[in-house]
Amino acid sequence: MVKFWKSKEEKEIERKVRMRKAKMALKQYINNLENLKRKIFLQGKEAAKLGDEALLKRSAMKYLALEERIKQAKRLLLLMEEAEIQRELVKVSANFIQFSKDIVESIAEGPGAEDVAKMQVEFEKAMTKVEGLDEALSTMLDLTSESILTGEFDAESLEETASLFEASASSDLEPKTRLKQIEDMMRG
């Protein structure tokens, strides 16, 4: 029997498998770059011992370029993990909103019909917003993991991914002063 469409659960399982594969491929890429960086450093040291300034400069340039690639790959890995956390937050919020909606419906006999209708509209708006954010994050994670698995990511796609994620993240989740404190803790 051939299935023409997949359930939401099947799609989520496939997404998680792709994400896990993409993260493993990215980690392997980072490890390979780290190994190359060590080799180039040793090559540069040897060039310095031999007094070959041209080879030393080329080695230093390669080393610097590899450092930048490693930094970009690590940033992409962090962005992917951040997006996964954001999706979990969205799911938790959706569950809470649904729970709140169920509670309001169960005690609907108390307040007037007009109050219940207003609350219902607000719950529906909140659920629509949560579902839209979840879909945006899912799409971004799918595109990112697919580009990693096919080997089609570079500095430009990394920047696009970062801007996509930053656009989908809500700025009102955390007060700015607390955000600054957390950033300072991470620095210190």
Side-chain angles (χ1 to χ4, degrees):
M1 183 173 134
V2 176
K3 264 188 155 176
F4 290 106
W5 67 89
K6 296 177 183 174
S7 71
K8 196 172 187 175
E9 293 82 20
E10 289 173 318
K11 288 178 183 178
E12 187 62 27
I13 289 170
E14 287 179 359
R15 178 177 291 119
K16 285 181 180 182
V17 168
R18 272 195 320 274
M19 282 298 297
R20 199 175 7 240
K21 284 181 180 179
K23 285 168 62 176
M24 291 303 293
L26 196 51
K27 287 176 182 178
Q28 184 62 45
Y29 176 68
I30 292 168
N31 287 338
N32 291 342
L33 290 177
E34 293 281 357
N35 290 334
L36 280 173
K37 188 174 92 168
R38 280 189 284 282
K39 286 179 183 178
I40 288 173
F41 183 78
L42 293 174
Q43 184 183 28
K45 283 183 79 163
E46 191 63 32
K49 283 181 189 176
L50 295 173
D52 189 339
E53 287 299 313
L55 183 57
L56 176 65
K57 286 183 182 188
R58 283 196 311 270
S59 293
M61 288 174 59
K62 288 177 192 173
Y63 186 87
L64 189 61
L66 281 174
E67 276 187 336
E68 188 59 32
R69 282 189 186 171
I70 291 168
K71 184 177 164 184
Q72 288 175 344
K74 285 181 176 180
R75 182 169 181 241
L76 179 58
L77 186 60
L78 284 173
L79 285 171
M80 290 173 67
E81 289 169 352
E82 184 179 15
E84 285 180 303
I85 292 168
Q86 187 69 24
R87 279 194 75 228
E88 288 302 313
L89 177 62
V90 167
K91 287 179 185 178
V92 167
S93 298
N95 290 342
F96 178 75
I97 290 170
Q98 186 60 46
F99 169 76
S100 298
K101 180 180 172 184
D102 293 344
I103 294 294
V104 168
E105 287 174 357
S106 71
I107 58 171
E109 299 88 36
E114 188 176 304
D115 292 335
V116 172
K118 285 180 185 178
M119 284 188 267
Q120 183 72 24
V121 168
E122 291 304 314
F123 284 130
E124 294 301 324
K125 285 180 185 177
M127 282 303 290
T128 302
K129 188 175 183 178
V130 164
E131 289 168 358
L133 185 56
D134 182 50
E135 188 60 35
L137 288 168
S138 295
T139 302
M140 195 248 346
L141 285 170
D142 288 344
L143 292 172
T144 303
S145 60
E146 201 60 38
S147 67
I148 289 170
L149 292 174
T150 59
E152 297 175 3
F153 77 98
D154 53 16
E156 186 177 314
S157 60
L158 176 65
E159 290 305 317
E160 287 175 22
T161 301
S163 64
L164 258 177
F165 177 72
E166 289 163 3
S168 66
S170 177
S171 60
D172 58 5
L173 290 177
E174 194 71 37
K176 289 182 181 180
T177 56
R178 179 67 179 138
L179 187 62
K180 177 80 171 116
Q181 289 173 344
I182 293 170
E183 289 173 357
D184 291 342
M185 285 179 2
M186 288 177 173
R187 286 186 191 103

